[in-house]
Amino acid sequence: MTTAVLAPLAQTRPANGGAPARRAVVRWAWRLFRREWRQQFLILALITVSVAATIVGSAVATNNPPPKNAGFGTAQDTVSFTTYNTHTTSVIASLEHRFGHVELIENQTESIPGSINTYQVRAQDAHGPFSGPMLSLVSGRFPSGADQAAVTSGVASAFHLSVGATWRVGGVERHVVGIVENPQSLLDEFALVAPGQVKSPTAVTALFDAPGVSLHSIGNNVQTPASVAQSNPFNPETISLAALVLGMLLIALVSIGGFTVLAQRRLRSIGMLESTGATDRHVRLVISANGTVVGVVGAILGFVLGLVAWLAYRPSLEQSSHHVIGVLALSWTVVIAAMVLAVVAAYFAASRPARAMTKVPIVQALSGRPAPPRQIHRSAVPGIVFLVAAFLLLGYSGGTNHGNGSSGSPELVFGIVLLVPGLILLAPFFLSLAARLGRRAPIAPRLALRDLARYRARSGSALAAISLGVLVAVIVMLAAASRYGNVFDYAGPNLASDQLALHVAGTNGPQSGQQPTSTPASPTELAAGASSIARALGAQLTPLETPNAGLNGTNLGRQWNGAVYVATPQLLRAFGITPSEIDPNADVLSSRPGLSGVSGLVLNYGSGDKFGPPQSSQSCTAATGCLAHPVVQDIGALPTGTSAPNTVITEHAMRQFHITAATTDWLVQGTQPFTASQISSAELAASTTQLSVESKNDQPSSSAVVGWATIFGIVIALGVLGMSVGLVRSETASDLRTLAATGASSNTRRTLTAVTAGALGFLGALLGVVGGYVGMIGWLRTNSLNGGVAALGNVPVGDLLLLLLGMPAFAAMVGWLFAGREPAAIAHQAIE
């Protein structure tokens, strides 16, 4: 009876165990994860850190630019006017007739005495229907009467104001009733007054809603948040998603090796599972489920870590991005995608070794000896094809970027994306090439290079991951070199931290071409005021003479910018330059690197317009007050700031071309960096002498950008190297035990690890540099604005050598130091 009942049940049970068997296998995978979490710690840590970094990075990228509605409040449309006249009134009346209520914001620009900075006297309704998000009350209250004002903290600091003080602004004496700010732009310095209290506005903004109406049908100068966002082809969220995909690909490449080694360690357990009737599908499920568990745990831990890091960093980001950021102002699309892709990346990384394990015979698996790696010929052709395609796409994007007006951003993104599979496909070929080149090397290096080629499942993915990290660093380095390397369009910090520039009030230096907004004091009074400021600071004062001449020209797609002063004896002495160092025939001295070797530079003097469009060297004659190809001498002792006297005309040229000059600026050189209180004191003193003070800005230098990019590439490469070398050497642990048993010294073991680390580091750096150059040359060859391929002439060779040679050498040294320990078990392999 019992047999008769059980027989049908046995017939209906699937041969592979069905769902109960799968659940048992998954539970076993979970137990293995809990038992062997230490062996999986590196992969888990990589996923956790990558997800956390993606969450924080995407939040920074999406919140660093101003909010999408910055300047709009809650309105959907805005139109700006530079004057407030009858035409402006009629346009606003027309907008009110068509779309209903229109809110006006009137601004009048005023100068801060003693500083080159300005502020706005702003008439705005604090409770307006659209501009609410553009105003926030810090303390006090909003102004309501004609004699009241509320100021931002910057204006309050500049004029030493507080709530309850009396302040004369715009010709009217007003009572300060509050401290306010613009949450969408903390750099926005203004004095808020009641609507209608700005009598002569220099700018008027009208906010209104015109849903479903095209901008062209409304009129000129109309914008929407969408139109402003379209002006930037690189959406921060898109960039974050692209970086996320790259980061998850990096995780997958490194995790493949980790899961492969874990599968090899569990080979006997897998053999035992197969011997009890488990199918290939069950074996694959064990390893894939383990990868999924690692991915889920890493994603959750990464989210928690990223959220904590974001909450800690948010106040600093508000200060650096200059606008208020919400506590949970995360890019949730990127957050969800990061967590999902982390699980997917771990699953697919585990799937590859899962398929490999099913091909190992049961008897061989029970013996614990993995199958020898198959020798697969890998051609370099597919990788080269991807690199060529990336080269062509990037070249097309560079041409459209400045040719027909389109941005070329899709081609740029796809070109960069194609670089990634190109490097991945080239990695195995580089490993095979290294093994062939090492055939005549001593035994230890030869074994290390041979193992890299044999175990490509680990070393190939590790090499691709290293090259991707280096690729990002190299692209940033070359892009910075092309931008900062143009000596005509000079970029970087304006001054050193121990320098101040003094200008006539109302101007920003001679390079601006501005005229003083008011009648300046006499030259004697200005010079006396400058001397007084320098004495109070205990600093050296150097007058800067501005000639009625200037430099013009176009080079590498950009025009000359920056001030030109006179190389007076006092200026040269201030920087330790002796007359014997100057070429008697030199017309111009400059600290701009490479200026003496560029073409297209002309010197306009006399009747030439130094601020006008550049004259071509063909039409440059003495009759037009122009000198083609002036003699330029490089003088490194001159300051390098963009507002400092980095380029000066020699007295020889002044005499020869009868150039005159006048002192309108002064350089204050201190013995140590100026403090904020010293700068404030200088601005206060300058306000009484019709001078303005310019101090160091926060513009990064090229060396800072390149340096951080180099550090990023080295840190990524070393992190991947540390994990990958451990995985490769652990897989060859049996060979290492055999070597130790046959009498191999610790020196041999050290050499094996050192060569493994050094070879992976060098090949990864070489592959990353090649990919970076392919991408940047492809883009710059058609991008005239950035100077074309010639812009790469200023490549930071030292930083490239640090990546190519320094990083592999450091990895080899670390591998040598930490690889001398003898294996714990030599005679036998542990039984699980």
Side-chain angles (χ1 to χ4, degrees):
M1 180 69 178
T2 304
T3 305
V5 173
L6 293 178
L9 295 177
Q11 294 175 359
T12 58
R13 180 181 298 170
N16 59 5
R22 289 193 295 272
R23 287 196 298 270
V25 169
V26 172
R27 287 197 300 269
W28 186 52
W30 169 248
R31 287 196 298 269
L32 285 176
F33 169 75
R34 290 188 301 171
R35 190 182 70 179
E36 300 179 354
W37 67 270
R38 291 180 179 85
Q39 287 78 8
Q40 302 173 77
F41 178 75
L42 289 177
I43 302 175
L44 187 63
L46 177 67
I47 296 175
T48 301
V49 172
S50 298
V51 172
T54 300
I55 291 174
V56 177
S58 63
V60 172
T62 53
N63 288 292
N64 194 41
K68 295 180 179 179
N69 63 336
F72 292 85
T74 58
Q76 296 301 312
D77 299 86
T78 179
V79 60
S80 300
F81 308 94
T82 56
T83 57
Y84 194 60
N85 49 29
T86 54
H87 172 71
T88 304
T89 305
S90 63
V91 172
I92 294 174
S94 174
L95 293 175
E96 288 181 332
H97 177 72
R98 295 178 60 186
F99 307 114
H101 188 78
V102 175
E103 183 177 353
L104 298 183
I105 301 177
E106 301 169 335
N107 286 295
Q108 179 178 328
T109 303
E110 298 285 348
S111 297
I112 297 178
S115 174
I116 63 173
N117 300 320
T118 61
Y119 70 98
Q120 306 286 334
V121 178
R122 178 169 302 167
Q124 179 179 348
D125 187 356
H127 307 287
F130 299 120
S131 64
M134 302 167 64
L135 278 180
S136 177
L137 190 63
V138 177
S139 63
R141 59 182 178 85
F142 290 115
S144 56
D147 61 343
Q148 296 177 353
V151 298
T152 59
S153 57
V155 174
S157 176
F159 291 95
H160 306 284
L161 301 174
S162 61
V163 177
T166 301
W167 179 42
R168 188 172 185 83
V169 56
V172 180
E173 192 171 85
R174 304 179 189 272
H175 299 288
V176 178
V177 296
I179 304 296
V180 295
E181 67 179 10
N182 181 355
Q184 297 179 343
S185 177
L186 298 179
L187 290 178
D188 190 7
E189 302 293 350
F190 58 94
L192 180 68
V193 296
Q197 294 305 308
V198 174
K199 304 304 180 184
S200 302
T202 56
V204 178
T205 301
L207 304 176
F208 60 99
D209 277 340
V213 181
S214 65
L215 301 182
H216 298 292
S217 64
I218 299 175
N220 298 326
N221 301 325
V222 180
Q223 290 183 317
T224 66
S227 66
V228 173
Q230 289 174 358
S231 63
N232 181 13
F234 301 107
N235 184 281
E237 193 164 279
T238 302
I239 297 175
S240 300
L241 288 173
L244 166 64
V245 172
L246 187 63
M248 293 304 123
L249 181 61
L250 192 70
I251 290 175
L253 289 173
V254 178
S255 300
I256 286 174
F259 286 119
T260 301
V261 172
L262 287 173
Q264 298 287 7
R265 288 174 178 171
R266 297 171 180 169
L267 192 58
R268 287 186 175 183
S269 300
I270 292 174
M272 185 65 70
L273 185 67
E274 290 180 317
S275 66
T276 59
T279 64
D280 289 348
R281 184 178 182 183
H282 290 147
V283 173
R284 290 194 298 269
L285 182 59
V286 170
I287 303 174
S288 300
N290 178 240
T292 303
V293 169
V294 172
V296 170
V297 174
I300 295 174
L301 293 178
F303 173 76
V304 174
L305 178 62
L307 185 61
V308 172
W310 161 248
L311 295 177
Y313 181 66
R314 185 182 64 88
S316 299
L317 182 62
E318 285 186 337
Q319 297 301 316
S320 60
S321 60
H322 311 298
H323 64 90
V324 176
I325 301 173
V327 174
L328 296 179
L330 298 172
S331 178
W332 290 103
T333 302
V334 178
V335 170
I336 296 173
M339 299 183 68
V340 172
L341 286 179
V343 178
V344 173
Y347 171 79
F348 280 104
S351 298
R352 180 174 175 179
R355 290 192 299 269
M357 288 300 100
T358 59
K359 299 178 182 179
V360 179
I362 297 178
V363 175
Q364 188 174 358
L366 289 172
S367 68
R369 183 173 295 278
R374 293 181 301 168
Q375 297 297 324
I376 302 175
H377 176 70
R378 293 295 179 91
S379 173
V381 174
I384 294 175
V385 169
F386 273 95
L387 291 183
V388 171
F391 179 84
L392 296 176
L393 274 175
L394 290 170
Y396 181 75
S397 70
T400 57
N401 208 16
H402 303 289
N404 56 17
S406 62
S407 66
S409 57
E411 295 83 5
L412 179 63
V413 172
F414 282 116
I416 295 177
V417 168
L418 287 180
L419 287 176
V420 175
L423 297 184
I424 295 174
L425 293 173
L426 281 176
F429 172 78
F430 270 57
L431 292 171
S432 300
L433 182 62
R436 287 196 294 268
L437 294 177
R439 286 176 179 174
R440 298 184 180 275
I443 181 63
R446 186 166 72 249
L447 285 176
L449 295 176
R450 185 205 63 180
D451 288 343
L452 287 177
R454 288 177 63 198
Y455 300 100
R456 296 178 195 170
R458 271 67 67 207
S459 54
S461 58
L463 179 59
I466 294 169
S467 65
L468 288 182
V470 174
L471 172 70
V472 174
V474 171
I475 288 179
V476 173
M477 291 166 58
L478 297 181
S482 67
R483 174 63 187 93
Y484 286 89
N486 194 319
V487 295
F488 274 23
D489 188 17
Y490 201 51
N494 59 337
L495 296 167
S497 58
D498 59 351
Q499 293 175 341
L500 296 177
L502 304 179
H503 310 294
V504 176
T507 69
N508 292 331
Q511 70 270 26
S512 66
Q514 294 177 325
Q515 298 298 322
T517 56
S518 60
T519 304
S522 66
T524 303
E525 293 173 333
L526 292 173
S531 299
S532 176
I533 294 173
R535 283 196 305 270
L537 295 173
Q540 178 185 9
L541 182 69
T542 303
L544 302 179
E545 294 188 6
T546 304
N548 64 335
L551 294 173
N552 273 323
T554 303
N555 182 65
L556 300 179
R558 297 183 183 270
Q559 295 183 356
W560 172 271
N561 71 354
V564 177
Y565 295 102
V566 179
T568 61
Q570 185 177 359
L571 185 146
L572 297 177
R573 284 196 303 270
F575 297 103
I577 303 173
T578 61
S580 60
E581 299 179 54
I582 300 175
D583 183 354
N585 298 317
D587 300 310
V588 177
L589 310 177
S590 180
S591 61
R592 298 190 181 193
L595 183 62
S596 59
V598 300
S599 59
L601 185 67
V602 298
L603 173 64
N604 293 332
Y605 57 90
S607 60
D609 183 6
K610 63 179 178 178
F611 296 117
Q615 302 183 28
S616 64
S617 57
Q618 291 79 6
S619 61
C620 192
T621 62
T624 59
C626 181
L627 171 66
H629 312 299
V631 179
V632 181
Q633 181 182 357
D634 291 329
I635 299 291
L638 288 172
T640 57
T642 58
S643 295
N646 57 71
T647 303
V648 293
I649 298 178
T650 63
E651 291 192 311
H652 157 72
M654 298 286 290
R655 291 191 300 268
Q656 181 176 358
F657 302 110
H658 307 289
I659 301 173
T660 59
T663 302
T664 57
D665 301 272
W666 293 262
L667 183 69
V668 180
Q669 181 71 54
T671 57
Q672 58 187 1
F674 294 113
T675 64
S677 60
Q678 288 178 314
I679 296 174
S680 179
S681 299
E683 291 177 347
L684 180 61
S687 64
T688 63
T689 56
Q690 296 192 23
L691 291 173
S692 60
V693 177
E694 180 181 3
S695 57
K696 184 181 182 300
N697 59 21
D698 56 358
Q699 175 74 28
S701 63
S702 61
S703 58
V705 176
V706 171
W708 280 111
T710 305
I711 292 173
F712 169 82
I714 290 177
V715 169
I716 291 293
L718 290 178
V720 175
L721 264 175
M723 179 181 295
S724 304
V725 171
L727 294 174
V728 172
R729 297 318 319 164
S730 66
E731 186 166 7
T732 58
S734 59
D735 297 336
L736 188 60
R737 284 191 289 266
T738 302
L739 285 174
T742 56
S745 64
S746 63
N747 184 60
T748 302
R749 296 192 296 270
R750 291 180 187 273
T751 303
L752 281 170
T753 304
V755 172
T756 301
L760 276 177
F762 175 74
L763 293 175
L766 180 62
L767 196 55
V769 170
V770 170
Y773 265 90
V774 168
M776 287 303 298
I777 292 176
W779 185 62
L780 290 174
R781 66 189 176 90
T782 56
N783 193 313
S784 60
L785 181 60
N786 286 282
V789 180
L792 297 181
N794 301 294
V795 173
V797 178
D799 292 272
L800 285 177
L801 291 178
L802 188 61
L803 281 173
L804 280 170
L805 302 178
M807 183 266 294
F810 178 78
M813 287 189 295
V814 172
W816 175 275
L817 291 174
F818 291 94
R821 185 170 60 88
E822 186 174 286
I826 295 178
H828 65 276
Q829 184 175 352
I831 298 177
E832 298 179 357

